[in-house]
Amino acid sequence: MSLDQTSIQPFIESERFVLRPLRKSDAGLLLQYSSDERVARMTSSIPHPLPPGATEAYIERALANERDEDIWAIDGTRDGGAELKGVIGLKRMDRNQSEAGFWIAPVFWNTGLASEALKALVDANPLTNAAMFASVFQDNPASAKVLTHCGFEYLGDAETFSVSRNSAVPTWTYSRKL
């Protein structure tokens, strides 16, 4: 039996942490952080309140051999930090492109963690993409700053449905050629 190419997900090192594939033992911290309304409201896909089993289902999708998104835990244990500080992912798109997405646990906000994680992911370019895209809600200028800090350029405005808000939310869309 051969492994599907999508099942291979590299570890990516940065100065302060390692981006590593999610594992089942991440469930506790994922549940704790993603249950926080401040996190859920800034993502399109995390419901609030978080229903039972959602965290385990998320991890199962992340570990599936055939998946359309690679998700990494931002793991700070190498330097004595938390095992999970947030997540960052790349969703495969057509034409050799992907869409980056991330969230950081509130206790680690304003520490440069998101910028360092995105920069590490861009530099590694694990899917060997020609371009990456990302969208942020317009009421989340901190994430927009992360994107521009990492070389993403503004493309335009759009809307994305937010599960936690149960509505379409205005977004800013960015791209980065690789």
Side-chain angles (χ1 to χ4, degrees):
M1 181 167 122
S2 66
L3 277 178
D4 184 294
Q5 192 63 350
T6 61
S7 67
I8 300 167
Q9 188 176 329
F11 284 67
I12 301 168
E13 295 196 29
S14 85
E15 194 172 307
R16 295 190 289 166
F17 53 80
V18 173
L19 300 180
R20 61 158 173 81
L22 286 182
R23 51 187 179 222
K24 290 182 181 185
S25 63
D26 291 325
L29 286 173
L30 275 173
L31 176 63
Q32 177 183 338
Y33 297 143
S34 63
S35 293
D36 189 313
E37 186 176 9
R38 296 170 295 174
V39 171
R41 286 184 58 79
M42 293 303 160
T43 72
S44 61
S45 60
I46 299 175
H48 186 78
L50 200 62
T55 301
E56 292 79 6
Y58 177 75
I59 292 171
E60 287 302 317
R61 285 191 307 274
L63 296 176
N65 282 340
E66 295 185 24
R67 61 186 178 274
D68 65 355
E69 182 175 20
D70 284 350
I71 300 167
W72 288 266
I74 302 170
D75 185 328
T77 56
R78 181 180 72 192
D79 293 333
E83 186 174 357
L84 187 125
K85 295 181 173 191
V87 298
I88 190 164
L90 287 175
K91 187 170 187 163
R92 290 168 186 78
M93 300 170 65
D94 62 353
R95 297 180 299 175
N96 196 25
Q97 302 173 113
S98 61
E99 181 176 12
F102 57 87
W103 61 259
I104 304 298
V107 69
F108 304 111
W109 285 357
N110 302 311
T111 63
L113 188 65
S115 292
E116 189 174 337
L118 184 58
K119 182 180 182 328
L121 195 60
V122 166
D123 290 349
N125 193 10
L127 302 180
T128 62
N129 290 130
M132 285 184 193
F133 291 86
S135 294
V136 298
F137 293 142
Q138 290 182 11
D139 61 355
N140 187 358
S143 286
K145 186 176 178 182
V146 167
L147 294 174
T148 58
H149 179 76
C150 292
F152 283 72
E153 295 181 3
Y154 172 77
L155 286 179
D157 295 5
E159 281 187 344
T160 298
F161 186 80
S162 169
V163 174
S164 68
R165 300 181 195 202
N166 194 29
S167 65
V169 180
T171 60
W172 293 313
T173 302
Y174 294 82
S175 71
R176 163 100 194 239
K177 302 280 185 224
L178 301 172

